[in-house]
Amino acid sequence: MRPAALLAAFTLAANAATAPPVASVAPVPKGAYTVDKAHTSLIFRVSHMGFSVYTGRFTRIDAQLRFDPANIPSSNIEVTIDPHSISADNPPEGFLETLAGKDWLDAEHFPQMTFRSKSLESTGRQTLRIRGELTLHGVTRPVTLEARYNGGYAGHPFDPHARVGFSAHGLLKRSDFGVSYGIPAPGTTMGVGDEVEVIIETEFSGPPLATNNH
């Protein structure tokens, strides 16, 4: 065997020996799923005087999902968010406390934000529309999210539970929820925009792999 062929054979053998274990090929099961907080982000974006789009996030989130990949409309989700957990890059001293304060989120009087789905609709092979109700600042209004089901597995040797992942985004007006401080006057962008973009990346952990129950 030529040296180059011998090296290629050794390389293939080494890769086969060190290849990571693969996920189960069983169908993703329906059932109860809990959010994986380590793989979840909730980001918001809002115009800052028309000069830039300010980006922030909430870091304390909980969510419960009832999911059936074979029957998306039967699924539902409930999310709770701690408004005190608002965060941003390089905030000036006291800035986050101001955002959580009475002129903005008023987290002391409204210590929880919630989103509860009312309907899920398949809009494509892996896309869906989630219509629900958001409670923010003590006000409940309808909000629609456009989402993508990124797939999942029934289990993995390193993670013996089902896992699914989603990406979602939506728009809302903060004035609809009574948070109107700093909205620009008509005809100007000098202030903080009314329209808020919400971007979500998340994974959920679900039922244990069936073979682990035997």
Side-chain angles (χ1 to χ4, degrees):
M1 183 179 289
R2 294 182 178 179
L6 183 62
L7 177 60
F10 276 125
T11 300
L12 288 173
N15 287 340
T18 60
V22 297
S24 169
V25 296
V28 174
K30 69 177 181 180
Y33 286 74
T34 300
V35 71
D36 178 354
K37 298 178 184 180
H39 295 96
T40 294
S41 61
L42 172 55
I43 295 169
F44 65 86
R45 290 162 47 88
V46 60
S47 172
H48 178 245
M49 299 195 298
F51 298 152
S52 67
V53 178
Y54 186 79
T55 301
R57 64 188 61 83
F58 293 94
T59 60
R60 291 196 291 274
I61 306 162
D62 199 6
Q64 304 296 323
L65 170 69
R66 296 288 306 183
F67 184 59
D68 183 353
N71 185 13
I72 294 291
S74 70
S75 306
N76 63 80
I77 184 170
E78 293 191 7
V79 183
T80 59
I81 304 154
D82 181 355
H84 286 104
S85 72
I86 193 167
S87 183
D89 295 332
N90 308 306
E93 185 176 354
F95 179 64
L96 297 179
E97 289 78 5
T98 297
L99 293 182
K102 61 183 181 64
D103 289 331
W104 297 86
L105 295 176
D106 199 2
E108 181 179 351
H109 292 100
F110 306 107
Q112 190 177 79
M113 300 156 55
T114 63
F115 177 83
R116 294 183 173 89
S117 66
K118 294 298 182 180
S119 69
L120 278 74
E121 172 192 355
S122 294
T123 56
R125 190 172 66 87
Q126 287 186 276
T127 57
L128 56 147
R129 181 169 294 124
I130 305 171
R131 292 185 173 91
E133 290 185 343
L134 174 66
T135 299
L136 164 64
H137 199 247
V139 178
T140 300
R141 297 292 299 267
V143 167
T144 298
L145 299 174
E146 301 296 332
R148 179 178 179 83
Y149 172 45
N150 297 320
Y153 55 57
H156 188 280
F158 294 160
D159 181 19
H161 287 75
R163 176 172 293 270
V164 292
F166 299 87
S167 303
H169 63 92
L171 295 173
L172 60 90
K173 287 188 174 181
R174 61 187 179 94
S175 61
D176 288 343
F177 298 87
V179 184
S180 301
Y181 188 86
I183 291 176
T188 178
T189 60
M190 295 301 292
V192 178
D194 189 11
E195 188 172 79
V196 180
E197 180 184 15
V198 178
I199 303 166
I200 302 158
E201 296 290 338
T202 186
E203 296 180 22
F204 288 82
S205 180
L209 185 62
T211 55
N212 290 353
N213 293 330
H214 298 160

